[in-house]
Amino acid sequence: FQTLDVLSGESETYDLLVIANNNHYFENIDLYRAKNTMAERPILVDGWGLLPQTTIRQLDFHHEVVGGTSSQF
């Protein structure tokens, strides 16, 4: 299982984070760490509604849930 080592704070900046798998591993992604490696207004696509809505709003992600069982957004 590969971890999200791309979020290690290297000099690259990312615009988009896509969660397209419903594995519970993804529920524990450090969104604060991810935000620090992303563009000023990062886009987060949560294909299963796994991620905490409150944290996503606090971090000011542009966020869409496109599947799963979530009825939010």
Side-chain angles (χ1 to χ4, degrees):
F1 208 90
Q2 192 175 29
T3 61
L4 294 177
D5 291 331
V6 296
L7 302 178
S8 64
E10 296 177 6
S11 61
E12 293 186 49
T13 301
Y14 302 93
D15 297 317
L16 175 69
L17 174 61
V18 177
I19 307 299
N21 186 308
N22 66 342
N23 188 304
H24 293 288
Y25 168 82
F26 295 107
E27 293 176 8
N28 298 313
I29 288 176
D30 184 343
L31 293 174
Y32 293 93
R33 186 173 162 204
K35 170 75 179 209
N36 287 334
T37 64
M38 297 182 79
E40 185 175 324
R41 185 72 165 117
I43 301 167
L44 174 60
V45 178
D46 184 358
W48 290 88
L50 296 175
L51 303 174
Q53 302 297 308
T54 303
T55 304
I56 291 167
R57 286 188 199 103
Q58 288 173 344
L59 291 172
D60 197 30
F61 278 99
H62 173 78
H63 176 246
E64 295 293 331
V65 175
V66 294
T69 59
S70 176
S71 62
Q72 298 179 16
F73 294 96

